Amino acid sequence: MTDHQPGGHMAAEIDQQPAIFADLHARRDAIASVASVIAERRPRFVLLAARGSSDHAALYAKYLTEVLLELPAGLVSPSTTTLYGAQPDLRDVLLVTVSQSGGSPDLLEVTESARARGALTVAVTNTASSPLNAAAELSVDVGAGVEQAVAATKTYSATLLALYLLVDAIRGGDGSAAAGLGDLARATLDSSADAVTEAVRRYRFVDRVLTTGRGYSLPTALESALKLAETSYLAARAYSGADLLHGPVAAVDAETAVLAVTSAGKGGDALHDVLDAVHGRGADVLAVGSASDKVSAALRIPVAETSEEVAPILEILPIQRLAHGLALARGGDPDNPRGLNKVTRTR
């Protein structure tokens, strides 16, 4: 048995993502068949249930649902069911439960309860044989393969793509905006490598990081903060750019590193004034995204440009590499962060 190389699993799984994206898009017909059932049922609104990284994927699906389907959408609070026993009427409601493992007891209970109360339930998981898949009426297989590192990388991005293909198919789309993501993911990982290396050098001794984004990029900001916290043990907080100026900006100074996710589109455009403000307060801004060259920043990491609605699938890739590099530079093993397990069981 060979000795484990710190971060070896996470590095390999980051690198697998281009092929996973291409394979998932090739399996779009299976997702479209689930979408056709949903479209036929005509839900009046959508609820999303998730935890951890999957919660950020669910937030991405919330944006997709509200913008592309023009349906109201909300994130479920599992404890209202599991701890307080609430029994709302969920007839004509679509509940999408997002879980990489499909094994969290609270998400399983929420799904079972919602189905019993009339919801159309869909499980989006990376584990086709999971209890969650059995509990839901319909299921979408993320198909990212076994993930060895504790920190989610390929399962997170593949979940984003699966959710996009599902929502796009519900509206009658053909998945064309996601057709080339495999190649674009490889181009992004390759073209951003030097900038990521420079960012690791620049931020390896930082203690406090603030991440921010608007619109579709807000889930990326949240996932970025989680990745930096769980792999490098940084004090990382995420804010919508819209909220940042309402109070938290007061805590921004020259000792603050700000990771700004900014891609071409309305969300990236809306971040300009925010970054001008934090840059003016002396913060060290790292801009990541296809519009990173259009904002005030000390360092930029480029990402291949796409339609804004699929940009989060690529935005997160160099940030995963950044989290991996910072963890190693700070003496950690991002494959096995202290105190964490691959599957977190909550109720």
Side-chain angles (χ1 to χ4, degrees):
M1 182 176 178
T2 58
D3 292 334
H4 170 67
Q5 189 74 20
H9 290 314
M10 186 176 177
E13 287 159 2
I14 291 171
D15 199 55
Q16 290 165 18
Q17 290 171 107
I20 291 168
F21 295 169
D23 178 68
L24 186 52
H25 191 272
R27 294 188 289 108
R28 178 189 166 277
D29 286 351
I31 297 175
S33 67
V34 174
S36 67
V37 175
I38 297 170
E40 186 178 334
R41 299 278 190 93
R42 299 177 62 86
R44 54 193 171 94
F45 64 87
V46 179
L47 293 174
L48 297 132
R51 291 288 194 194
S53 287
S54 292
D55 204 33
H56 306 151
L59 179 60
Y60 170 63
K62 182 178 185 293
Y63 275 93
L64 292 174
T65 300
E66 292 178 343
V67 177
L68 304 185
L69 301 183
E70 297 186 331
L71 286 175
L75 302 178
V76 167
S77 301
S79 63
T80 61
T81 295
T82 61
L83 300 184
Y84 296 100
Q87 299 287 318
D89 181 359
L90 296 181
R91 287 172 294 180
D92 302 321
V93 172
L94 170 64
L95 174 82
V96 180
T97 307
V98 186
S99 172
Q100 292 150 13
S101 69
S104 184
D106 55 352
L107 297 181
L108 179 61
E109 186 174 339
V110 165
T111 304
E112 291 172 337
S113 177
R115 187 172 182 180
R117 289 180 276 125
L120 170 59
T121 52
V122 180
V124 178
T125 80
N126 192 47
T127 310
S129 61
S130 68
L132 181 62
N133 274 32
E137 183 175 342
L138 303 169
S139 63
V140 171
D141 182 10
V142 169
V146 175
E147 191 170 57
Q148 300 289 340
V150 170
T153 54
K154 65 178 183 175
T155 54
Y156 174 74
S157 61
T159 298
L160 294 185
L161 179 52
L163 287 166
Y164 173 75
L165 292 172
L166 179 65
V167 173
D168 180 64
I170 293 171
R171 68 167 172 169
D174 61 2
S176 57
L181 285 181
D183 290 339
L184 290 176
R186 175 49 55 200
T188 293
L189 286 169
D190 291 346
S191 66
S192 65
D194 289 346
V196 169
T197 298
E198 175 60 26
V200 170
R201 260 197 307 266
R202 188 179 185 97
Y203 300 111
R204 65 176 297 183
F205 297 115
V206 75
D207 291 320
R208 186 160 52 102
V209 177
L210 185 152
T211 68
T212 188
R214 285 294 307 271
Y216 287 117
S217 293
L218 176 58
T220 308
L222 290 162
E223 177 65 10
S224 300
L226 176 60
K227 281 291 158 287
L228 293 170
E230 69 183 355
T231 61
S232 300
Y233 317 133
L234 288 166
R237 288 289 303 272
Y239 293 98
S240 163
D243 293 328
L244 185 56
L245 298 183
H246 284 212
V249 72
V252 173
D253 56 25
E255 301 299 314
T256 309
V258 176
L259 192 163
V261 188
T262 174
S263 288
K266 295 178 180 177
D269 291 345
L271 207 58
H272 286 199
D273 291 346
V274 177
L275 295 184
D276 286 346
V278 299
H279 189 75
R281 293 183 64 86
D284 196 297
V285 178
L286 169 62
V288 180
S290 59
S292 59
D293 60 340
K294 296 180 174 62
V295 298
S296 301
L299 188 63
R300 297 173 174 86
I301 298 179
V303 172
E305 186 170 343
T306 62
S307 299
E308 185 179 8
E309 64 205 37
V310 297
I313 301 166
L314 297 183
E315 291 167 347
I316 194 61
L317 304 183
I319 298 170
Q320 293 170 345
R321 279 253 182 97
L322 174 64
H324 175 270
L326 283 173
L328 293 177
R330 293 161 69 92
D333 180 1
D335 285 348
N336 296 292
R338 62 192 184 210
L340 295 181
N341 295 308
K342 188 61 183 169
V343 180
T344 302
R345 298 185 180 276
T346 53
R347 184 173 184 278

